[in-house]
Amino acid sequence: MPKNSKVTQREHSSEHVTESVADLLAHEEPVDYKRSVLNVTGETWDKQKDGDEELDAENRPAWNSKLQYILAQIGYSVGLGNVWRFPYLCQKNGGGAYLVPYLVLLIIIGLPLFFLELAVGQRIRRGSIGVWNYICPRLGGIGYASCLVCFFVGLYYNVIIGWSIFYFFKSFQYPLPWSECPIVKNGSVAVVETECERSSATTYFWYRETLDISNSISESGGLNWKMTLCLLVAWSLVGLAMIKGIQSSGKVMYFSSLFPYVVLVCFLVRGLLLRGAVDGIMHMFTPKLDKMLDPQVWREAATQVFFALGLGFGGVIAFSSYNKQDNNCHFDATLVSFINFFTSVLATLVVFAVLGFKANIMNEKCVVENAEKILGYLNTNVLSHDLIPPHVNFSHLTAKDYNEMYRVIMTVKEGHFKELGLDACLLEDELDKSVQGTGLAFIAFTEAMTHFPASPFWSVMFFLMLINLGLGSMIGTMSGITTPIIDTFKVRKEVFTVGSCIFAFVVGLIFVQRSGNYFVTMFDDYSATLPLTVVVILENIAVAWIYGTKKFMQELTEMLGFRPYQFYYYTWKYVSPICMAVLMTASIIQLGVSPPGYSAWIREEAAEKFLFYPTWAMAILISLIILASLPLPLVFILRQFHLVSDGSNALSVTYKKGRMMKDISNLEDNDETRFILSKVPSETPSPMPTHRSYLGPGSNSPMEMSSAPNGRYGSGYLLASTPESEL
């Protein structure tokens, strides 16, 4: 205490002294209310350590602008699934009717949990490990589990970017290399490649030219050097984008987040001008209302909502941790959630406009091939000319005329119709051929683009869009690893980023074998779904039931400046945990009912065949699920039985300077002395926060004061019960 303060004067004078708050604050050292900490466990104050933590908090990187942050969250949440998964689910589960359960679940599960992750990241300003250690140390395994899942997903996700890079560079030629089957020489005779002839040019290019795929997961076949090189390029791009943290990745997001929208709009305009595009869109959005009563539809909609927003990965928390404390994260959550939804709808319009065009092309091809069969039967008198309607012109045969002929022939030749080998050639059948994932991007869509005018241009644009969509998601996924590790273990950002990319590339070589696509399928199906569902349930429970929903809502009110809607209170506390528990149960049942397997490409048959995983592959599959979930019980046991420190021996207190000063300014003159000197806690504004972290083992009383003077940093507010003589 300064020597000229009135408190010091009182010790040497019998004159009555009335201290004013203003006088006291004028002679006190400046206090950083946002970082003041009270030590309540008797832990020895480590000045050096606390100085490092304070410096770390002050030097934490921040987004250059709100736009950069929003684009980063959009780039992370809007990924390849919006383009090749959502349209497939929409078609499979009732067309336009599927949008209803998806939107309902987005509002009651997706938005509240997305808001929750944004809020805890922004409030605590740490990665996933630090956040969950702070909220509930015994559930600190949540952060480590998120890092492991991010690692598994990043391994195979970057392989998909590698595939897109390969197609991107192959697009700079005309005609496109997948537009026609290759010609091979058999002695002196040139013939079409048998595997391609029995499938299609795009299918052959994907399975043979790109993947050079083996017949099963058991046949390694060695490394595919082309894909190995592309994977190296993909990891190099990710490493360069992440090398400086958000300073570098934030700038990348301006392009990687916005460019896909430019491409999607261009494709939509071009697609709507194609013949048959309206057929595809009408087929897409024709609602099949009976599907809305199917529980499987709701399960798949919930799973898509869950993964579309990137919940549980830690990327959302990592990005929001670089925000200012007063940022309106509720607005961010609502904006990003609905941009994600409308992006999915936009991508669906594009996909089915193009697939409608492709369906018309394939239907016309079917009509021509079957019309030639009918002409052959007419010339050989297998069919009578009387069966052909008089208005039918074989030189200009329409799909409507062919369908009329088909029905007549089927009626007359009912007993021998199958022997004729005629196809119905219905447009609806072509549109019902649902494709997703790599089948959509690398087979169906590429085939449609071969019929576009200036097809190389559109192919370059499409695969550049896929690269950017994947890169945006990979930056978020890698941030879910790098941010918590750097925050927790204080490693150098550049060294850790480069090291993790090199390590991931080496491990990722398993995906660029000739059997690598089967491992991609395994990781995609099993490495993330169940562990992430458990992670998000525990996140919800940690905040809503352990930390306390009311307490969390109060802190949000202080942080945001307004109280969030009561809707969030009930969804966090009741609705979301129940829905997520139902989803987890349904996922476990689905795993049990559907035997683990994969679609293998059989070269000799030039067709896909479903195969079950061998025993060793099942062991890998089960190990993935166990390993990703292992940190949850492991950390709980270690901290429950005090085998390791939980890192919560200091009680963090966050003060809002403006609010505290407002409270002081509202005191009457004769209350100032009571504010400083009162020994009755009920008469004194308590500086203790509403939140008290878990104090760790051996703490008998939460109010057991440290011997360190005046809190953890040696400055700040004193407790109301502090004796007057200590002032």
Side-chain angles (χ1 to χ4, degrees), residues 458-506:
W458 293 104
S459 183
V460 167
M461 293 283 282
F462 177 71
F463 289 108
L464 188 57
M465 178 189 74
L466 291 188
I467 292 169
N468 279 276
L469 284 172
L471 187 60
S473 296
M474 270 302 297
I475 289 173
T477 302
M478 289 298 292
S479 295
I481 301 173
T482 57
T483 298
I485 296 296
I486 291 169
D487 285 346
T488 305
F489 301 104
K490 309 301 179 186
V491 296
R492 281 193 62 188
K493 185 186 304 175
E494 294 83 2
V495 174
F496 180 72
T497 301
V498 173
S500 59
C501 287
I502 293 173
F503 178 71
F505 168 73
V506 173

Side-chain angles (χ1 to χ4, degrees), residues 61-83:
W63 298 103
N64 291 337
S65 66
K66 180 66 175 280
L67 175 63
Q68 189 181 79
Y69 165 67
I70 292 294
L71 289 177
Q73 289 286 15
I74 291 173
Y76 174 51
S77 66
V78 176
L80 297 172
N82 296 75
V83 174

Side-chain angles (χ1 to χ4, degrees), residues 439-458:
L440 173 64
F442 298 107
I443 298 177
F445 219 86
T446 51
E447 184 172 351
M449 286 188 295
T450 59
H451 301 287
F452 280 24
S455 55
F457 168 78
W458 293 104

Side-chain angles (χ1 to χ4, degrees), residues 254-412:
Y254 281 113
F255 182 76
S256 65
S257 297
L258 293 175
F259 181 74
Y261 289 96
V262 175
V263 177
L264 284 174
V265 170
C266 290
F267 262 99
L268 181 61
V269 173
R270 184 67 187 91
L272 291 175
L273 297 176
L274 296 171
R275 176 170 43 88
V278 176
D279 295 328
I281 293 174
M282 290 296 292
H283 178 79
M284 177 69 257
F285 288 104
T286 301
K288 303 177 182 69
L289 299 178
D290 57 305
K291 287 278 190 179
M292 290 178 61
L293 303 177
D294 186 354
Q296 179 73 3
V297 173
W298 288 82
R299 186 190 73 82
E300 293 191 344
T303 305
Q304 178 63 15
V305 166
F306 182 75
F307 285 102
L309 293 174
L311 300 174
F313 284 92
V316 173
I317 293 175
F319 282 160
S320 66
S321 72
Y322 299 116
N323 271 330
K324 296 179 181 178
Q325 287 255 338
D326 59 352
N327 175 62
N328 188 348
C329 55
H330 175 256
F331 171 79
D332 300 341
T334 307
L335 179 66
V336 174
S337 296
F338 283 96
I339 285 178
N340 188 295
F341 171 69
F342 289 120
T343 303
S344 298
V345 174
L346 174 62
T348 301
L349 285 170
V350 171
V351 167
F352 278 89
V354 174
L355 292 185
F357 166 70
K358 174 179 174 286
N360 272 268
I361 295 290
M362 300 306 293
N363 194 57
E364 289 176 0
K365 184 178 178 181
C366 177
V367 167
V368 170
E369 290 175 352
N370 284 272
E372 290 178 354
K373 288 183 182 179
I374 293 175
L375 280 173
Y377 294 141
L378 291 173
N379 293 333
T380 56
N381 296 320
V382 174
L383 293 177
S384 171
H385 287 79
D386 296 334
L387 298 178
I388 309 302
H391 64 275
V392 170
N393 183 354
F394 276 91
S395 60
H396 296 89
L397 189 63
T398 64
K400 183 179 178 181
D401 291 342
Y402 172 78
N403 288 330
E404 186 178 349
M405 275 196 310
Y406 179 86
R407 286 194 298 270
V408 171
I409 295 171
M410 185 173 63
T411 303
V412 174

Side-chain angles (χ1 to χ4, degrees), residues 608-685:
E608 289 184 340
K609 183 179 180 181
F610 185 82
L611 300 177
F612 295 110
Y613 286 114
T615 305
W616 62 268
M618 285 294 296
I620 294 177
L621 186 154
I622 295 170
S623 299
L624 286 175
I625 298 174
I626 293 175
L627 188 59
S629 307
L630 188 61
L632 300 169
L634 185 62
V635 172
F636 181 85
I637 292 170
L638 291 175
R639 289 178 175 171
Q640 173 68 22
F641 295 101
H642 316 318
L643 300 176
V644 295
S645 170
D646 56 24
S648 63
N649 287 334
L651 174 63
S652 294
V653 179
T654 300
Y655 293 99
K656 291 191 74 70
K657 183 175 181 180
R659 180 180 174 186
M660 184 62 81
M661 294 305 294
K662 181 180 178 182
D663 291 343
I664 293 173
S665 65
N666 286 339
L667 291 173
E668 296 179 2
D669 292 341
N670 57 358
D671 288 335
E672 291 179 347
T673 304
R674 187 167 71 249
F675 180 83
I676 302 297
L677 303 176
S678 175
K679 299 180 182 179
V680 183
S682 61
E683 294 180 0
T684 310

